[in-house]
Amino acid sequence: MEIQQVGSRGYLFTWDVPYKTNVYAINGDKHLFICDTFLGIEPLEEAYEYLREVGIDKPVIVFISHGDYDHYWGNGAFKNAVILAQEGCWERIHDEHEETYARHTHHKMGMVELVLPNMIFKERVIFPEDGVEFYHTPGHSKDSSSCMDVKDHILFVGDNVESPLPYIYSQDLDVYINSLEGYIKRNPKTVISGHDPPMSNLSLVKENLEYVKKVKNDKVDTSKLDERSKKIHEQNMKTMEGTKTF
């Protein structure tokens, strides 16, 4: 586990196995916010223990950015906490957990227990006393949401932004474009995604936006893509064709 401090009150926890994944914590004035819970209880208990060792002892609010398994399997470490998610995320976790757990069991890290979000929002929820906002940003998936640390101007975007290309799990590209353009309008100092290092500019957001626009208009020149990008693009085309199996 790698730990980085981001801004005046953020802690980024990163694991490289089975693939690079981030969990982001914000030490608010009244609450400790934890964005996503990775692949099981074990790594999240380790991260939470570190936060307690540095003196953070506040009520915990967990935020799940979307219903992909690698973003909520550690919920069991916070059974007594508020677990916040957009309503579509609750539905995905409820409906898909058994199937995705069977398919990806080899990725689990420690015990995995199904713990559903217990605080649901439709469009947004704001914690003004902490300067933290959560809001629906459909794109990578219909249920994707983001977290804005208003005090430090740091934006956590889940899997809506990813290198070299984003994975597209929804055919509604107009809302994805709107979400990415919304990020640019907010002009955060730092962007944190689910699987990339912290970004101090919006270059990857803009690159992802241009790619999604090209997918929408069927103008992706695959001859200019490297091998990894080609594989991601092929999967995205299966989504657009309705043949992708998740």
Side-chain angles (χ1 to χ4, degrees):
M1 180 178 71
E2 178 186 353
I3 306 169
Q4 300 179 62
Q5 188 159 0
V6 183
S8 68
R9 58 181 188 165
Y11 296 85
L12 183 66
F13 300 89
T14 304
W15 293 265
D16 289 326
V17 177
Y19 39 76
K20 182 182 289 292
T21 304
N22 296 320
V23 168
Y24 188 57
I26 302 168
N27 182 24
D29 290 342
K30 293 189 176 183
H31 300 94
L32 170 65
F33 298 90
I34 296 178
C35 299
D36 288 340
T37 64
F38 195 35
L39 285 169
I41 291 176
E42 184 178 291
L44 265 295
E45 287 181 338
E46 182 182 5
Y48 189 43
E49 179 62 27
Y50 172 85
L51 293 169
R52 285 181 291 189
E53 286 176 356
V54 298
I56 301 173
D57 184 15
K58 299 173 182 177
V60 174
I61 295 176
V62 176
F63 164 64
I64 306 303
S65 65
H66 61 295
D68 288 357
Y69 72 97
D70 54 328
H71 294 261
Y72 75 85
W73 272 10
N75 283 9
F78 303 101
K79 287 188 287 187
N80 296 320
V82 171
I83 301 179
L84 174 70
Q86 200 272 340
E87 60 184 8
C89 178
W90 186 97
E91 293 170 0
R92 282 192 61 201
I93 294 173
H94 178 271
D95 295 345
E96 299 174 11
H97 174 73
E98 185 174 343
E99 179 183 352
T100 55
Y101 181 76
R103 185 182 302 158
H104 301 290
T105 304
H106 58 291
H107 282 165
K108 73 175 183 177
M109 301 179 72
M111 186 173 68
V112 172
E113 182 178 356
L114 175 59
V115 177
L116 289 166
N118 52 36
M119 181 176 178
I120 310 302
F121 67 95
K122 185 176 179 66
E123 293 299 332
R124 71 183 63 241
V125 60
I126 301 172
F127 294 83
E129 69 276 22
D130 292 294
V132 176
E133 175 188 358
F134 302 95
Y135 65 110
H136 189 206
T137 50
H140 162 74
S141 59
K142 291 180 181 179
D143 63 308
S144 291
S145 297
S146 302
C147 169
M148 186 71 184
D149 179 342
V150 178
K151 180 178 179 180
D152 276 359
H153 218 49
I154 294 172
L155 180 64
F156 178 82
V157 298
D159 287 359
N160 270 353
V161 177
E162 192 165 354
S163 65
L165 297 176
Y167 288 89
I168 299 173
Y169 291 168
S170 170
Q171 295 177 331
D172 191 347
L173 298 185
D174 287 329
V175 296
Y176 200 167
I177 290 168
N178 288 340
S179 293
L180 293 173
E181 289 178 339
Y183 294 157
I184 294 170
K185 288 178 182 177
R186 282 181 175 254
N187 193 29
K189 291 180 180 178
T190 304
V191 177
I192 295 175
S193 70
H195 303 284
D196 285 284
M199 294 164 263
S200 59
N201 58 60
L202 291 165
S203 59
L204 183 59
V205 178
K206 293 176 180 178
E207 289 170 12
N208 281 192
L209 173 60
E210 289 308 306
Y211 169 73
V212 174
K213 287 181 176 179
K214 288 178 180 178
V215 171
K216 177 186 174 183
N217 296 314
D218 195 23
K219 291 185 177 180
V220 177
D221 184 354
T222 57
S223 68
K224 295 182 179 181
L225 301 179
D226 59 28
E227 288 306 309
R228 184 182 174 204
S229 297
K230 285 181 180 178
K231 290 180 180 179
I232 296 171
H233 180 66
E234 288 172 1
Q235 292 187 50
N236 291 341
M237 288 303 94
K238 291 180 180 179
T239 294
M240 301 312 297
E241 295 163 1
T243 60
K244 173 70 175 175
T245 301
F246 298 104

